Amino acid sequence: KLSTMKMLLSLIALLSAALLANTAPPTCYSRVLSLSKEITESFKELQTSKAVDSCVEMLPRLYLDIHNYCVLAKLRDFVAYPRCETVLEVSELKEKARSLYTIMISYCRRDLVFLTDDCSALENPVLPPIEPS
């Protein structure tokens, strides 16, 4: 009876550990990665939106690769861009970019690894080919 109780307690402990692992808070890296993807997608939507101001066409390109050291300068340039203050979508996007920059340089600076510093790759990204459907 005692061994059955120990086995049951071990099983409960194992299941509890598995449950905690699945609900663990996001890491700095996963947060930076998801926010950069969210910003890139929002920028694409902004570019294709019909209801945006003409200044949106003049915004600096915003393709983000968090493994490229030049992304920090890209984020700074985008946030500092002096036009489009009256376009709500641009203001929201600048706020997200500011948040990403802050997270990268302060909260996560020790957790991030930059694999390149190729600034032209952020201007003319090589995107994976779209597979035919």
Side-chain angles (χ1 to χ4, degrees):
K1 199 167 190 167
L2 189 58
S3 66
T4 306
M5 186 66 114
K6 281 185 177 179
M7 195 180 338
L8 185 59
L9 285 174
S10 296
L11 182 60
I12 290 172
L14 183 64
L15 290 173
S16 296
L19 183 62
L20 284 175
N22 289 337
T23 60
T27 62
C28 260
Y29 177 76
S30 66
R31 178 67 183 128
V32 166
L33 189 60
S34 67
L35 187 54
S36 69
K37 286 179 181 178
E38 181 182 329
I39 291 169
T40 300
E41 288 303 313
S42 294
F43 182 74
K44 286 179 191 173
E45 290 172 13
L46 185 63
Q47 292 279 313
T48 58
S49 174
K50 305 238 186 303
V52 296
D53 196 281
S54 62
C55 74
V56 171
E57 296 172 8
M58 305 304 291
L59 283 171
R61 288 190 60 160
L62 196 57
Y63 168 74
L64 302 178
D65 175 2
I66 62 162
H67 302 106
N68 187 333
Y69 185 74
C70 294
V71 75
L72 296 173
K74 173 65 84 178
L75 288 166
R76 277 193 313 267
D77 291 348
F78 186 80
V79 169
Y81 189 72
R83 300 174 76 187
C84 299
E85 297 92 8
T86 60
V87 180
L88 179 63
E89 294 88 347
V90 174
S91 296
E92 290 172 351
L93 195 55
K94 283 184 176 186
E95 194 54 44
K96 285 182 185 177
R98 183 178 291 112
S99 294
L100 178 60
Y101 180 80
T102 302
I103 291 169
M104 289 180 77
I105 65 163
S106 58
Y107 303 111
C108 299
R109 95 174 162 262
R110 289 186 183 99
D111 297 341
L112 299 177
V113 175
F114 297 108
L115 304 176
T116 183
D117 61 352
D118 181 4
C119 296
S120 65
L122 296 179
E123 294 302 318
N124 302 302
V126 177
L127 301 174
I130 298 171
E131 294 186 19
S133 49

